[in-house]
Amino acid sequence: MLLEIKGLRVFYDKLEAVHGIDLHVDDGELITVIGSNGAGKTSTLNAISGIVDHTGEIWFDGKRIDNMSAAEIASAGIIQVPEGRRIFPQLSVMENLRMGAYLEKDKKKIAERLERSFSLFPVLGERKNQRGDSLSGGEQQMLATARALMAGPKLLMMDEPSLGLSPIACQRVEDRCVDINTEGLAILLIEQNAMMGLRISSRAYVFEKGEIALEGKSSDLAAMDEVKKAYLGV
Ligand code: ATP
């Protein structure tokens, strides 16, 4: 097992937003988390990344990480692409990408990862000297994803990558998630586009009010009436 979470609770001061969830990601899996607004999905990713108060156990790659700092968790190989992309707007595409590899000292690895970024997302190569904020929403999502990959993660956590994108840009996000996963990288994906999230993942978790209401094979969940009604709009 690559990531194992046991009894995770997340707190904002005294308010408990996530109420003791269990979740796991196996090596090479693409796992989707769906659920309505405020269900605790982002809080869970932020707890894994070590940036919000939490209790419970989080194990990654054989090590307990729930008491580690955010920097140590990133070094251990968990990299999050935050909701809203958060690229550096004044920096160029190239500078944004290099920032993603700030922990890597090996110049050859950095060059290889840059090359991979440009082969996964050719438009980033074409625009490598342009400022981050000159890119479209879909391109900024590509940049945020490529920047995360520059760190050489063992687990990529993506928070609503398709939010606010056109259907074509959503499709590109979906295709690249699948490509990256097919190369062997495990992905934990929060997706408001539940249809897409369930289509590309092997397993999924449905969050409701800070708890996991349902979990299982994505194809099984997509066939359930309660999931169809609540999340798939059918
Ligand atoms: P969304 O899709 O809206 O991001 P979510 O499932 O990711 O939803 P969270 O953002 O994790 O949900 O929010 C879970 C709960 O925690 C909500 O009730 C939310 O209001 C609360 N919450 C989130 N961030 C904070 C914060 N910084 N301070 C206080 N409460 C917060």
Side-chain angles (χ1 to χ4, degrees):
M1 207 175 288
L2 183 65
L3 176 77
E4 185 174 21
I5 294 175
K6 298 184 207 168
L8 178 73
R9 293 174 189 276
V10 179
F11 300 92
Y12 297 102
D13 291 322
K14 291 199 176 105
L15 178 90
E16 187 182 288
V18 173
H19 312 302
I21 60 153
D22 299 337
L23 177 153
H24 73 274
V25 180
D26 283 327
D27 284 314
E29 270 194 312
L30 198 173
I31 299 298
T32 297
V33 172
I34 61 173
S36 46
N37 286 347
K41 306 178 300 295
T42 298
S43 299
T44 298
L45 289 204
N46 287 345
I48 298 168
S49 290
I51 55 176
V52 288
D53 284 347
H54 58 280
T55 61
E57 293 182 22
I58 307 177
W59 292 80
F60 180 67
D61 212 13
K63 287 194 205 90
R64 190 157 172 188
I65 62 160
D66 46 270
N67 289 320
M68 289 186 182
S69 68
E72 287 167 334
I73 293 168
S75 304
I78 301 181
I79 303 291
Q80 184 172 352
V81 184
E83 186 176 343
R85 339 222 201 277
R86 312 248 179 94
I87 56 154
F88 302 108
Q90 304 92 336
L91 299 187
S92 70
V93 166
M94 194 62 152
E95 287 164 339
N96 267 278
L97 290 173
R98 288 190 176 282
M99 292 291 276
Y102 75 101
L103 289 171
E104 184 58 68
K105 300 283 169 272
D106 184 337
K107 286 194 175 143
K108 195 165 152 244
K109 276 198 185 148
I110 296 175
E112 281 166 8
R113 289 178 196 164
L114 277 173
E115 205 171 297
R116 181 158 168 261
S117 296
F118 297 143
S119 77
L120 265 174
F121 305 107
V123 71
L124 296 182
E126 289 157 23
R127 313 221 156 148
K128 63 182 178 218
N129 298 318
Q130 274 180 229
R131 275 169 60 122
D133 59 3
S134 73
L135 303 182
S136 69
E139 290 162 354
Q140 289 189 18
Q141 183 60 49
M142 294 178 199
L143 179 55
T145 306
R147 185 181 62 184
L149 294 174
M150 287 296 293
K154 293 181 188 152
L155 174 67
L156 185 67
M157 300 200 298
M158 305 183 76
D159 194 347
E160 309 217 350
S162 70
L163 195 66
L165 300 185
S166 69
I168 290 175
C170 280
Q171 183 63 47
R172 287 201 192 109
V173 167
E174 175 177 340
D175 293 346
R176 290 298 85 76
C177 282
V178 170
D179 291 344
I180 294 164
N181 177 247
T182 305
E183 288 177 13
L185 184 60
I187 301 180
L188 182 56
L189 169 72
I190 296 182
E191 189 45 75
Q192 42 87 39
N193 181 341
M195 187 92 78
M196 163 179 138
L198 293 178
R199 188 166 53 224
I200 67 176
S201 56
S202 53
R203 288 190 302 116
Y205 294 85
V206 180
F207 277 49
E208 264 174 31
K209 299 186 184 138
E211 294 180 353
I212 291 173
L214 291 166
E215 63 178 282
K217 271 177 69 180
S218 302
S219 50
D220 292 345
L221 290 177
M224 289 172 71
D225 282 343
E226 54 196 300
V227 174
K228 281 189 196 162
K229 270 199 205 109
Y231 304 106
L232 302 178
V234 284

